[in-house]
Amino acid sequence: MSAVVHAHPESGPVLGVAGPAKNKRVLSEAGHRGQWWRFIAILIITAVVLVPIMVTVVLAFTPGPNSTATGLTFENLSNVFSKTLAATWLQNSLITTLATVVVSVAVAAPAGYVLSRGRSKAVSGYSLLLFVMQSLPVITSVVPLFILFAAMGLVDNLMGLTIIYVGSTMTVATWMMAAYFDSIPISLEEASWIDGCSVFGSFTKVVLRNSLPGILSTAIFAFLLAWNDYLVAIVFLRSNEIFTLPMGVQSFFQQNNTDWSGVMALAVIMMLPPVIVFATLNKYFSVGGIGGSLAGR
Amino acid sequence: MSSTTAPSGLARARKGLAPGGPGGGSPNPGNQNRKSRLSAQTSRTFFWLLLPSVILLVLIHGYPLFQAGIQATHNGNLIQTGDFVGIENFQGVLASPAFWKAAQFTLLFTIVGVFGSWAVGLGLALLLRTKIPAGGTFKVLLLLPWVVPIVVSSTAWNWLVATPDSLIPSLFRNLGLGTPLFLADPTLAATTVMIFKVWVSFPFMMMMISAALASVDNTVYEAASMDGATRWQQFSQITLPLIARSTYISWILMTIFCVNDFPTIYLLTGGGPVDATTSLVVLAYRTVFQDFATGPGVAIAFLMTMTLVVISVLLYRQIRKSSVE
Amino acid sequence: MSTNPSTASSAFSRRGFLGFAAAAASVPLLAACGGGSASQGGGGAAGTIKFWDMPWATPAYNDAAKKIAEGFSGANSKASYQLIQWNNFYQTFSSAIASKTGPAVSTGGGFQAFQFEQQGQIAYADKVFEALKKNGQFDDFLPGVVEPFKTDKGYVAVPWQLDIRPLWYRKSLFEKAGVEVPKDWATLLEAGKKLKSAGAVGFATGSGAGNNIGNHLMIMMMLNNGGGVFSKEGQLDVMNDRNVEAVEFMLELVSNGIIDPAAVSYTTDNLNAQWKDGKAAYGMLTLGVPERVGDTSGDIVVASPIAGPHGDKAALIFPNNIMMYTNTPSQEASEAFVVYYLGQLKELWKQKLMNALPVFKSITEMPEFTSDPNNVKIVKEYVPIAKTFASQGTALSADLAALDGGQALNQFTQTILTGKTDAKSALQAFESGLKSILKK
């Protein structure tokens, strides 16, 4: 990607600039020292922020009430996999979530593009309508939706759930995409139009191609909404084999409320996929947008 | 590059990269050209690009909203519509002190939730933008509060603060600060819920701002600092304007998240003690599903939605303004 | 949401008071729905009876219940078993019923049958009782468990287990503090003070997110003083002297620190932990506390009921029930299924899967049940003095579904547990809260 913008410490907006920029040596030394101060600062912040999560993780690896193990153990993890349908739930969650992410982006990106580039009253009206319609809380819309979906045979069914998740992420996803497209200069599209691209062509070939951070932010948002939801799932899903992980955790929680280590082990299983996803995608995040390509013009 | 002067650096930052530069009707050189070339084809393309979104909107949001409108004006239950009662439910709700108390809490919760998470998210996004050893790892770790299911994190928070012997009250005691009852004292419970909300939400803000910052050209800062702009000037005159649109959008989104937030409050305090942490959504939920008063409960949700719409229209105007700037 | 199955939703209500309007309003709807189901029923055509059950105990319970349900074959039908989570169960049932995908037979919340009856969705169980009379099982019901389900139009549901709120204590803490287990309110106060100075909680309870033990305690203490929320005639009767006295006593326990100052925020898990960690010395809880909190050493045992200042004794009980819905492939098959299922219930106690009292005398006499001395004590000492949420009255109704889990009682409980109130004004607020919910 030629459009990469590296974040030099020297040019960081707040803490980065330590002295007059003209003296490069002074600057880089100061930058180097600053680096470690910032490291310590962020280390402390992260440690404090993560206390509640560490509690969860420690409990997950602590032997349960009826266990003979001592110290830290993987027993809880293997127990929940052998005694519950955790593997199936994990699979269901992954399927639903991935489908939600893909479809959400596929719906939100074009709509976001229209919101960003369109300037008619109808477009801005739609943007507001999106907002108004979705601000009704989920708890009041679940029952009517269930009745509607039951008529279409989409109840107790991962596809029905996915449709609702896409619907619920859609507004926010559209806005997020629009906000990102706004930061893409229209001059790029203009160049492509001159080269003979259609509006649709420049959208897919120029705009989308340069929108990875925006798409990823949107995808992450959709991912988390679908991954963590249980308010919708609890009404829409019935069968144990169709449960998503949050539902599984819920049901396990209720029936084994003394088995903390089991609950926490499930919680850790639930945390892992998002963490893996973010850890892998992280490097794309630090990649800048298209500022660089503009700078080159 | 080296010849760039500060004003032109700033101007360029605003003009070329300012969020929404082209979106909100800014005077753009390509404007005329674009209009004439595209108007015929554009609206058709735009229509097709919007269509899937429109269908979903009607199905997932329009239909339930319509149903909710029916429920709010009837005296039925979840299964039967009941009799039409006009605005009686709304009148009843507006006359009840519980509604106003919940509205007050919702307002406070939202203000703290939005600006608290924004401030923390912005600070961390700026910090993480600089070069830090293992910076990427921290970025991922700091997303965890948002990633962990609320069911789990609320339990962990409960474990940390609920009883006098929990970790944090014990810590206070050992420091000679008394034994605060974080969830039993009304004021402290409200504070705890808000801190919990900020804890859950700041990663979202961090992510939004990081994405906005990622598209900022660093040479702008270089140019500015060469022209002797202080750090504060750089922050307030370059960074903030550049992320303005993202900021407004994230404020609007976070306002929706906060006002509509159910699990964060419900799982940690259930709305108590007494009603110290009862927000409008919690009140609506409890009215519909615990008091079984569907009409009044949905009416609460409706009133809440209307307020939300008013607030967001105001913020929405701000976005447009920030684009024109 | 760690709502405990046995406390979350088992609930009761009281028929009568203010219920006439609601009952009258539901008549035409009932008629309409009755007609619909008759045509659907189609003279006992074969079909699958959908049976929905709740997580009443550990997953092993649900496995066993599933086996029993699927073992049914009668009236040309089979049965399927579906487990429904307690969280948002009312939403789950309502949306399913509204979309005609609901169960034919189910267990559920203690009020649920009355609520859905009011909405015209319940099939009356009179024929089930006729069949039980024929096969002799009717005489096996413990006294008083069937009456609460009788309404003008028929039996709304069939009881299948009893949930009760006995008092428990931890022996070693009482020994350590050198006090006797309370016999009445005065000795409870004295013991509480001594236990407190020994570092223990003298009267453990909780009313945090999803925990309604505190709510139940408030009602229990009113009953314990001969009061309650309803009069014999089923009228709302909150401001009576006995209730004021009971609430004043609770406030005294709070101000003396005998009730934990943080109890108002305790979830079920916080409360369980307090028992497990040897902090709680005495308090009202559910059945099977040792198993529930994970301390089966025998140190936690059932205490005898205590007497109020006027010598009254009472316990709070919830008869959980099985209900049938009008939306069934065959009403005949629904009935056959319920009769079959009741006949198999003893299996669940035989395998020690239940955390509830049986409704059948014969089960209370089984060695598997009597082997637990706590069970025996509860059946002997608590069941005879037990009263429902209907307080001084006997019949249940839908109107009070909102009492158990509703906001009025919860706010009242939390107000008392925070102690910043006086008895009369708290009761007044409670009364007006109840009136606004129940006026429908």
Side-chain angles (χ1 to χ4, degrees), chain A residues 85-100:
Chain A
L85 289 176
T88 315
W89 298 336
L90 181 66
Q91 192 190 338
N92 291 338
S93 265
L94 285 173
I95 294 172
T96 313
T97 304
L98 289 181
T100 304

Side-chain angles (χ1 to χ4, degrees), chain A residues 5-7 14 35 38 49 117 119 126-127 131 135 167 182 190 193 198 224 250 260 274 278 282 288-289, chain B residues 20 30 34 37-38 41 53 61 127 129-131 136 144 146-147 151 155 199 214 218 231 245 256 260 312 316:
Chain A
V5 175
H6 293 287
V14 174
Q35 229 179 66
R38 291 195 298 271
V49 162
R117 299 301 194 246
R119 58 190 59 209
Y126 183 72
S127 164
F131 182 79
S135 38
D182 282 343
E190 282 162 356
W193 294 332
S198 64
L224 287 177
Q250 285 285 314
W260 276 99
F278 294 145
N282 182 48
Chain B
R34 180 185 175 220
R37 173 151 176 356
L38 296 173
Q41 181 201 357
S53 147
H61 299 297
L127 192 55
R129 190 169 185 264
T130 62
K131 196 170 180 189
L144 277 175
W146 194 39
V147 170
V151 186
T155 310
W199 181 83
N218 279 287
R231 261 191 267 166
R245 195 170 155 108
I256 308 174
N260 273 338
S312 50
Y316 188 77

